[in-house]
Amino acid sequence: MAQIYSRIMATGSALPERVLTNADLEKFVDTSDEWIHSRTGIRQRHVVVEGETTGDLATLAAQRALDAAGVKAADLDLIILGTTTPDIIFPSTACLVQHRLGANGCAAFDVNAACSGFVYALGIADKFIRSGQSKKVLVIGAETLTRMVDWTERETCVLFGDGAGAVVLEASDEPGIYATCLHADGGHKELLYNPVGVSVGFKDEPNHGVRIRMSGREVFKVAVKTLDSLVEETLNAAGMDASQLDWLIPHQANLRIIEATAKRLNMPMEQVIVTVDKHANTSSGSVPLALDFAVRSGKVKRGQNLLLEAFGGGFTWASALLRY
Ligand code: UT7
C-alpha cells in the first residue's frame, strides 16, 4: 500500500486589531523600547480587547485557512486546537470553534502543551492522517496570553501578545510532513508556569492569581540547548541534512533564541521567518502565525522544505519537518 502523507493545503491567521507598542508600555511600566528590542527583538504586540476571546481569533484564522484551501467546514474529519488560554474550562475551545464553523460531528479537542501547542497538534493530526483515520484535518494554534499577564510586572508583560494561526491538512500520496518530534520534561515546571486552576484552587490575589511566572534567564538557557538537539533529531528523523532546508519557522519568543537555532543549522537569517518584532510571543499562535505570514507574503513557496519548532512551559518542545 502506498504511503499516506499529510500535506498542508492552506494556512490562515488572525490578530486582534489593538496594537500595543513598546512606547505604549513605557507609559505605564518601568521599561524602554531599547531594553525590550535589544533583549527580545520585540517592537509591538497585538492585544485582545474586553470580550474578545481565543475562540474568536481561532475561528477567524480557521475560516481564512478553509477559504484558502477551498474546503467546506462540513468536510473536516477532525479539529485539533493548541491553546493554554481556552475561552472556558469546558467545552474545549476546539468544540466552540467547530460549532461556529459549522463542522459539527467531527472529532474536536484541545491540546495544552504551552508554546508547543500548535506543533504538538500538528504532530497528532499527522498520525491521524497517516493511519488512514482522517482525510481532512484543521489544526489551530490560538492564544490570548495577555489575559494571564500582570501589566505591572516588567519581566513578563513586555514579552507576550495574542493571536491565532491555522492550517488545513489533507491526506496525500506526496509529502507532506516527513517527520514530527514531540517531547516534554515536567521536571522544569517551576521555571515557567501559571500555578492556579480548578483543582488546585485560585488565590486571593488580583485576577485570582492567574499570572505567568517565568525565570527568564534559566528558560533562555534550556531553550537554546534543547532546540539545538531538537533540530538535529528532526533532521535525522526525516533523513535530511540542514542544507536541504529552505526555511526555518521557529517559535517566536526571543530573536536571540531564534538566531542561535539558525546558527546551529548554518542557515542565514534570510532563510528564517521572523515575526517576533510584530507579534511578540503568542505561545501556540506563534508558529502558525509565522507560517501564514510567510505563505501569504510569497516567501514560502510550494515544494520548499520547512522546519517548524517550538519550546514552552512544561517544558515541552516539538518540531515538524515538511514539504509545503
Ligand atoms: O515561550 C516560552 C519560552 N520563553 C522564553 O523563551 C523566554 C526566555 N527568556 C528570555 O527571552 C529572556 O531571558 C528575557 C527577555 C525574559 C530577559 O532577558 P535577559 O537578557 O535574560 O534579562 P534578565 O532577566 O537577566 O534581566 C536583566 C536586567 C535585570 O536587571 P539587573 O538585575 O541586571 O539590574 C532586570 O531587572 O534587566 C532588567 N529587566 C528589565 N529592564 C527593563 C527585566 N525586564 C525588564 C524590562 N525593562 N521589561
Side-chain angles (χ1 to χ4, degrees), residues 22 32-43 254-256:
N22 292 349
S32 64
D33 175 54
E34 202 285 317
W35 190 96
I36 301 171
H37 188 253
S38 63
R39 303 273 174 152
T40 69
I42 298 167
R43 288 281 191 205
N254 186 314
L255 184 60
R256 291 183 292 144

Side-chain angles (χ1 to χ4, degrees), residues 33 51 90 137 168-169 172 219 232 240 259 269 281 308:
D33 175 54
F90 72 87
V137 181
V168 180
L169 291 179
S172 164
V219 175
E232 266 326 300
M240 286 192 186
E259 285 169 345
M269 286 306 285
N281 182 349
L308 280 46

Side-chain angles (χ1 to χ4, degrees), residues 169-217:
L169 291 179
E170 69 171 348
S172 164
D173 299 337
E174 303 278 322
I177 295 179
Y178 292 110
T180 61
C181 301
L182 314 184
H183 292 283
D185 181 352
H188 294 290
K189 184 196 106 189
E190 251 95 53
L191 293 181
L192 178 55
Y193 68 131
N194 189 338
V196 300
V198 181
S199 190
V200 164
F202 291 86
K203 292 184 196 293
D204 190 16
E205 286 178 11
N207 203 25
H208 310 285
V210 175
R211 177 165 68 80
I212 297 171
R213 327 224 168 178
M214 182 170 76
S215 308
R217 213 176 296 183

Side-chain angles (χ1 to χ4, degrees), residues 80-84 111-124 139-141 143 283-285 310 316 318:
I80 314 180
L81 187 149
T83 192
T84 343
V111 172
N112 178 350
C115 297
S116 312
F118 172 80
V119 187
Y120 257 66
L122 193 67
I124 299 165
V139 184
I140 309 168
E143 303 275 9
S283 188
S284 290
T316 57

Side-chain angles (χ1 to χ4, degrees), residues 21 206 224:
T21 64
V224 170

Side-chain angles (χ1 to χ4, degrees), residues 227-228 230-232 234-235 241-245 247-249 258-268 271-272 307 309:
L227 290 169
D228 267 7
L230 179 66
V231 295
E232 266 326 300
T234 317
L235 287 167
D241 60 65
S243 66
Q244 291 172 273
L245 296 175
W247 294 99
L248 172 65
I249 307 191
I258 295 172
E259 285 169 345
T261 308
K263 198 168 163 205
R264 169 78 179 199
L265 288 165
N266 244 326
M267 289 176 84
Q271 280 176 267
V272 182
L307 176 57
E309 48 87 340

Side-chain angles (χ1 to χ4, degrees), residues 265-286:
L265 288 165
N266 244 326
M267 289 176 84
M269 286 306 285
E270 289 71 39
Q271 280 176 267
V272 182
I273 302 300
V274 175
T275 52
V276 68
D277 53 332
K278 294 184 225 41
H279 303 159
N281 182 349
T282 58
S283 188
S284 290
S286 116

